[in-house]
Amino acid sequence: MSIIEQQPVEVDGDKLMQFVFRAVDEVGATLNAALVVMGDKLGLYRALAGNGGLTPAELAERTGTAERYVREWLNAQAAGGYVEYDPDSGRYTLPPEQTVALTDSSSPAYLPGFFQIALGSVIDSPKILDVARSGAGFGWHEHVHDVHEGCERFFRPGYNAHLVGEWLPALEGVVEKLERGARVADVGCGHGASTILMAQAFPNSTFVGSDYHADSIETARARAQEAGVADRVQFVVEPAAAYAGSGYDLVTTFDCLHDMGDPVGASRHVLGTLKPDGTWMIVEPYAGDRVEDNLNPVGRAYYSFSTLLCTPASLSQEVGLALGAQAGEARIRDVVRAGGFTRFRRAAETPFNLVFEARP
Ligand SMILES: C[S@@+](CC[C@H](N)C(=O)[O-])C[C@H]1O[C@@H](n2cnc3c(N)ncnc32)[C@H](O)[C@@H]1O
């Protein structure tokens, strides 16, 4: 009996088969997350980059991997359009655009971190299944390392592309203060990509990056040493609602306000640590205010991350407001104003980010 014959009469057989074939593509894409991470970690993309084409044996030889695995991986990559296969020569080529997206970590189009955080989220999904039954949370710190490192590698290209050139200049008077010498707190900084980037751009300013996750802060300290900015950047383990210091010119939160259990408490604390004419820059995932505004590919990715990472992270903490990664401007404004800020506006945006300016 075919799939169509098993269904009630009102089912449109063509639509059903279209959906099934779309799902075939999506299952291939789901598995491809693991294959992209494999290609990245084994150096397969980097070895293919800029080559006129390699056979599986040549690629295996250059990367110290086993030819039989590499051949199968290459065929999956070719079927998905990630590499091109030439049947006459038996060689596989990485096209120029894929070379940039898969090997150039300085490009805004760099993708491996996106796949790495997605794969890490899927690896941890059995634990989310448990908490979805109980209603309990699951902390950011409890995830596999691929979530933490993938997050850093996913966000850094966007920060490189937009933070210094577009987002900070969109805030009133902030670049001038940073050039003269300002005090900056980067709250929920993770591995410190944003903190280090700002420190490199503004050598007269000093920066404190904080995060409640101790392992992330340890990595951030190592990154600051590697970048040669450890003299101007301090990284500390502290929760957003109680980080130390006051008199900051600028406080930043990059893609973390919605992950917090008590974002209103964090907002109140930010206000208390800012100078009277200071600025809070809030970077959040791009989203519209209504569910129907977000029913598109970007919204799909963010709602999925939100189910597996952001919502459980918030629910694991006190209050557990669980804004979700698609909170949108109106809900973020409510949270910021509830913390006591009087001025709030959207300062900039990209297809993936909303950037808000809050002032006391
Ligand atoms: C999605 S990651 C973003 C990390 C970093 N800002 C970036 O852009 O790469 C969210 C971060 O928020 C941190 N976080 C969550 N709740 C927090 C809290 N209550 N206080 C401080 N940090 C928190 C997590 O540990 C994690 O590093």
Side-chain angles (χ1 to χ4, degrees):
M1 194 190 291
S2 77
I3 293 174
I4 297 167
E5 284 163 356
Q6 289 174 14
Q7 304 307 317
V9 282
E10 64 268 25
V11 168
D12 180 323
D14 288 342
K15 284 186 184 166
L16 176 59
M17 290 317 292
Q18 272 170 21
F19 185 65
V20 169
F21 278 108
R22 195 188 126 199
V24 171
D25 200 32
E26 298 209 359
V27 170
T30 305
L31 295 166
N32 193 49
L35 296 198
V36 171
V37 171
M38 187 174 165
D40 177 50
K41 289 189 176 178
L42 293 177
L44 302 173
Y45 292 123
R46 289 187 292 282
L48 281 168
N51 261 303
L54 295 176
T55 64
E58 288 166 346
L59 181 57
E61 158 92 39
R62 287 180 191 208
T63 52
T65 51
E67 187 273 343
R68 186 65 193 90
Y69 281 94
V70 168
R71 192 174 2 132
E72 219 63 11
W73 178 85
L74 277 167
N75 287 335
Q77 295 297 288
Y82 278 55
V83 305
E84 282 169 5
Y85 173 59
D86 175 19
D88 295 333
S89 66
R91 288 174 187 278
Y92 298 79
T93 314
L94 196 62
E97 295 74 22
Q98 278 82 335
T99 298
V100 169
L102 295 165
T103 70
D104 180 0
S105 62
S106 69
S107 165
Y110 186 60
L111 290 173
F114 205 178
F115 284 100
Q116 189 179 358
I117 187 172
L119 182 64
S121 306
V122 170
I123 287 170
D124 280 338
S125 62
K127 292 157 188 161
I128 303 307
L129 206 134
D130 289 342
V131 293
R133 286 203 176 92
S134 68
F138 191 83
W140 180 260
H141 62 283
E142 297 179 81
H143 283 287
V144 292
H145 183 63
D146 276 329
V147 166
H148 307 137
E149 190 180 84
C151 176
E152 171 193 9
R153 297 176 75 212
F154 168 45
F155 284 127
R156 188 189 283 115
Y159 300 160
N160 282 339
H162 304 288
L163 173 54
V164 174
E166 295 165 29
W167 297 346
L168 290 169
L171 308 174
E172 204 188 324
V174 165
V175 168
E176 292 77 4
K177 289 182 190 173
L178 288 167
E179 281 169 349
R180 277 201 306 272
R183 295 189 62 227
V184 183
D186 188 12
V187 175
C189 68
H191 286 188
S194 51
T195 334
I196 291 168
L197 192 59
M198 291 189 287
Q200 287 171 324
F202 300 102
N204 293 331
S205 293
T206 53
F207 298 82
V208 184
S210 60
D211 198 290
Y212 90 108
H213 182 217
D215 286 354
S216 285
I217 288 300
E218 203 175 305
T219 302
R221 285 181 185 140
R223 299 278 194 265
Q225 286 286 350
E226 287 159 23
V229 293
D231 56 330
R232 281 174 286 122
V233 184
Q234 199 194 341
F235 285 109
V236 290
V237 181
E238 284 170 340
Y243 63 86
S246 60
Y248 288 109
D249 298 285
L250 174 68
V251 174
T252 54
T253 48
F254 290 87
D255 204 83
C256 59
L257 187 66
H258 67 270
D259 290 309
M260 295 173 192
D262 184 10
V264 175
S267 170
R268 204 176 297 120
H269 189 68
V270 171
L271 184 63
T273 66
L274 271 180
K275 280 185 181 159
D277 66 341
T279 302
W280 179 18
M281 177 168 77
I282 304 147
V283 179
E284 280 289 302
Y286 188 91
D289 290 330
R290 302 168 308 169
V291 169
E292 56 270 37
D293 299 332
N294 304 322
L295 303 184
N296 52 59
V298 172
R300 184 189 193 191
Y302 281 145
Y303 276 129
S304 302
F305 280 127
S306 191
T307 308
L308 297 172
L309 299 178
C310 316
T311 301
S314 177
L315 289 173
S316 76
Q317 300 181 17
E318 272 179 38
V319 181
L321 191 65
L323 284 172
Q326 293 288 269
E329 179 167 349
R331 294 203 69 202
I332 299 292
R333 185 197 302 114
D334 287 349
V335 162
V336 170
R337 285 192 183 277
F341 283 85
T342 62
R343 289 172 283 169
F344 178 93
R345 70 178 177 99
R346 185 186 299 208
E349 64 181 64
T350 74
F352 300 101
N353 311 96
L354 293 173
V355 181
F356 303 111
E357 177 189 71
R359 310 287 304 268

